[in-house]
Structure formats: structure tokens, C-alpha cells
């Protein structure tokens, strides 16, 4: 597949115009999927003008969805996007199971796939490449590899996966800028790179300096006003505005996130609930924030919204 596809062009254009949105997956209090809540949430996300929508990924609790739920999540995202922005669905586990999810996403109308890190085991570079080769051979959709956890590509492997039909980009969650610079230099022209660090805004300037300006924003899932204001400041070189948002909102958010494992998702969901979004609780093994952490989150959210002239 040529890197100059319609999907690649749309993603590249979107990356220049807005943050990448990773919607939450809505659940009822009993843990069952809430399609209506999800539809409302995704529609609101799309209306704020993200560069693309990535349903059923890490923030969307892909790891807790069965295949039927996954189909509903991706289908709703595609319907609510309505062709206005690309829809990139998460797939993962081993290549055989990832292929099953890829087939469902393709049938649901997704534009591309984000290949999440495989399950559990460490693997050599040849295996990491083979994983993508096997998924790519079984779907017509473009693939974006996600390196995080036990997945980390060398420059040589990056060149190998870039030659795989369908593979159009790489999302990085390691924040190893030395390695990332080597990868961007090794990549063919037109290959897409995304900053997928947790709370990516913290490192957005550093990533941009090595050629990776596009980033995913968990904050966009609950406060698009803040996420879009930071993106505009970054794009416009408004360093004072960006520094204030980092100092008074993003850095305290990261410190709160780091208190408990899993807060990278459950805090985002809790913040969305504080704003009246119908996203419901997280599913086990994640846990919702404690009362004390929730109170701190509310205070921080009010501060962040006030910085951009918005209200809770």
C-alpha cells in the first residue's frame, strides 16, 4: 500500500489541525455497555474538531471489551464521525485475535487500525515485525503500530515494518527521544508518527523537536476546551499560554494520575462524569478514584477550565 492513500492524507491533514481524540467507552453502573451514552460522548468529541477519532483503544478500555461490544463501539464511532474525521479502531492481543478484531472493524466501516502492544510476553525484533506482517496480510485497512510496554522497534525494524503493505505509521508511548529521533530519520517520506505518551501535552514540545508534532490527548475526552487551547498555543508559538496550562493544569494532573495504577484511564473517566458526560464507571481491573482523589480532580478541573474561560 502506498503511503499516499486517502486515509493517510486525511490523517496527516487532521494531525495538523487538531489533537487526536481517544473516546471513552460508556458503561452502565452494572458494567454493561451503554451504547446510548457512548453515542452521546462520541458525538460531542467529534463536534469539537479533533484530527481523528480512535475508539476502542487504551483510553476506551479495549482490553475489557468482548467482540460483540467492540463491534458496537466501532460502529457507533463510525456513525457519529459521519466521514468528517478518520476513525482508527484499536486491535490487539496476538495476531490471530487481532485479526478477528480487524475484520470486525473493517465491517463496521473504520478507516484504519491502531495495533496495540501484544499480550504479556517480551519478543525479539523479528517477532514484532512478524506480528504486523500477519495482521497486515489479513486486512485491507491501513495499520498504525503502537510501541509501548514490551514493544519497541529499532531503526532497522522500523524500515522493515514501513515496507509492509498497509503499515502507514507509528505511535510512540516510550518517550525515549533518542530512539524516536533514530526512527524518524530511518522512516520513509510520508510515514506518520504520533506522540502517544501518557498525558502527551507534557512532552509535546520535545516530541515536536524530533519531528513528531502530532499527539493524542486524553484531556480532550473530558475537557476539549483545555486540550484545544493548548494545541492552539503550541501551534501558534504562544509559550506563555502553554507554560501556564502546563504549570497549573497538566503537571498537577500527571501528579494526580501517578498516585494509583490505572488512573491514566479512570481519572479521565471520572473527570468526564464530573462534567456530566454519560461515560459511567471503569471496568475491573481498573478502579474508580477515591473520594479524596475525586475532590482533588474536581478542584484541578475547575482551575484548568477557568484558565481557558470555560466552566465545569
Amino acid at each position: 500500500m502506498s503511503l499516499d492513500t486517502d486515509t493517510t492524507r486525511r490523517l496527516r491533514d487532521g494531525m495538523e489541525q487538531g489533537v487526536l481524540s481517544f473516546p471513552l467507552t460508556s458503561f452502565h453502573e452494572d458494567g454493561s455497555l451503554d451504547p446510548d451514552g457512548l453515542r452521546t460522548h462520541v458525538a460531542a468529541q467529534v463536534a469539537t474538531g479533533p484530527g481523528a477519532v480512535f475508539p476502542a483503544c487504551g483510553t476506551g478500555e479495549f482490553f475489557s471489551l468482548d467482540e460483540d461490544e467492540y463491534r458496537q463501539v466501532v460502529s457507533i464511532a463510525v456513525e457519529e464521525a459521519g466521514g468528517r474525521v478518520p476513525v482508527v479502531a484499536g486491535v490487539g492481543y496476538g495476531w490471530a485475535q487481532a485479526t478477528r478484531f480487524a475484520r470486525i472493524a473493517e465491517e463496521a466501516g473504520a478507516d484504519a487500525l491502531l495495533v496495540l502492544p501484544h499480550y504479556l510476553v517480551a519478543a525479539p525484533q523479528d517477532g514484532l515485525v512478524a506480528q504486523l506482517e500477519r495482521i497486515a496480510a489479513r486486512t485491507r485497512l491501513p495499520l498504525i503500530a503502537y510501541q509501548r510496554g514490551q514493544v519497541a522497534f529499532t531503526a532497522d525494524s522500523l524500515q522493515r515494518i514501513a515496507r509492509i503493505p498497509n503499515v502507514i505509521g507509528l505511535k510512540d508511548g516510550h518517550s525515549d527521544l533518542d530512539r524516536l529521533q533514530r526512527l524518524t530519520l530511518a522512516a520513509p517520506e510520508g510515514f506518520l508518527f504520533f506522540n502517544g505518551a501518557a498525558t502527551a501535552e507534557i512532552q509535546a514540545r520535545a516530541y515536536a523537536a524530533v519531528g513528531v508534532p502530532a499527539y493524542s490527548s486524553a484531556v480532550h475526552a473530558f475537557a476539549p476546551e483545555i486540550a484545544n487551547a493548548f494545541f492552539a498555543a503550541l501551534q501558534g508559538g504562544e509559550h506563555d499560554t502553554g507554560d501556564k496550562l502546563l504549570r497549573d493544569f497538566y503537571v498537577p494532573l500527571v501528579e494526580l494520575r501517578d498516585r494509583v495504577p490505572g488512573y491514566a484511564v479512570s481519572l479521565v473517566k471520572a473527570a468526564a462524569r464530573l462534567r456530566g458526560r454519560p461515560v459511567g464507571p471503569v471496568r475491573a481491573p481498573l478502579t474508580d478514584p477515591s473520594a479524596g482523589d475525586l475532590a482533588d480532580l474536581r478542584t484541578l478541573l475547575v482551575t484548568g477550565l477557568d484558565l481557558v474561560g470555560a466552566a465545569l
Side-chain angles (χ1 to χ4, degrees):
M1 176 182 292
S2 167
L3 291 176
D4 190 30
T5 65
D6 179 62
T7 297
T8 307
R9 289 192 296 271
R10 292 179 67 207
L11 281 169
R12 186 179 294 110
D13 290 345
M15 289 157 50
E16 295 174 354
Q17 297 168 12
V19 300
L20 306 176
S21 171
F22 283 67
L24 300 156
T25 297
S26 299
F27 298 120
H28 293 294
E29 289 301 320
D30 65 0
S32 60
L33 186 69
D34 178 8
D36 292 336
L38 176 63
R39 189 176 296 280
T40 298
H41 173 60
V42 174
Q45 290 285 284
V46 172
T48 61
V53 173
F54 289 67
C57 294
T59 305
E61 297 179 77
F62 165 80
F63 52 86
S64 74
L65 301 175
D66 65 29
E67 291 184 10
D68 181 62
E69 292 169 333
Y70 177 84
R71 184 185 299 276
Q72 293 182 70
V73 168
V74 177
S75 295
I76 287 171
V78 170
E79 291 166 8
E80 294 305 320
R84 287 173 287 174
V85 295
V87 175
V88 184
V91 300
Y93 305 113
W95 64 262
Q97 183 61 52
T99 298
R100 292 175 64 92
F101 282 111
R103 187 176 305 116
I104 293 169
E106 190 170 333
E107 293 170 352
D111 297 292
L113 304 171
L114 178 66
V115 182
L116 303 168
H118 64 268
Y119 173 69
L120 190 59
V121 297
Q125 293 294 308
D126 285 348
L128 299 181
V129 174
Q131 166 92 335
L132 287 172
E133 288 175 336
R134 283 161 174 72
I135 298 171
R138 292 163 174 80
T139 181
R140 294 176 296 176
L141 293 180
L143 305 180
I144 298 167
Y146 188 6
Q147 64 169 17
R148 191 187 187 104
Q150 68 270 33
V151 177
F153 294 101
T154 63
D156 177 69
S157 294
L158 187 282
Q159 291 178 331
R160 293 170 63 189
I161 68 171
R163 291 194 293 267
I164 299 171
N166 300 29
V167 177
I168 63 170
L170 177 76
K171 181 182 178 184
D172 175 74
H174 284 295
S175 303
D176 181 341
L177 298 181
D178 180 285
R179 175 188 289 266
L180 187 58
Q181 181 70 87
R182 295 169 191 265
L183 297 183
T184 59
L185 293 172
E189 184 178 357
F191 197 76
L192 303 178
F193 284 93
F194 308 84
N195 168 1
T199 314
E201 286 89 345
I202 291 287
Q203 301 181 64
R205 291 176 186 165
Y207 268 81
V210 296
V212 185
Y215 61 90
S216 57
S217 174
V219 170
H220 189 271
F222 64 85
E225 305 97 324
I226 299 173
N228 289 340
F230 182 83
F231 181 84
L234 188 67
Q235 294 291 97
E238 300 170 10
H239 297 306
D240 289 346
T241 299
D243 285 347
K244 187 164 185 59
L245 286 168
L246 288 171
R247 185 182 303 110
D248 296 346
F249 176 74
Y250 283 102
V251 170
L253 178 66
V254 169
E255 293 171 350
L256 181 56
R257 182 201 70 200
D258 289 346
R259 289 181 187 176
V260 177
Y263 267 16
V265 176
S266 55
L267 271 183
V268 174
K269 235 177 184 183
R273 291 195 302 273
L274 286 172
R275 303 204 71 197
R277 310 295 192 256
V279 296
V282 292
R283 274 183 173 174
L286 300 180
T287 59
D288 289 312
S290 67
D293 289 344
L294 190 61
D296 290 344
L297 176 63
R298 189 183 192 283
T299 299
L300 178 58
L301 182 55
V302 169
T303 297
L305 290 169
D306 184 64
L307 288 172
V308 299
L312 188 64

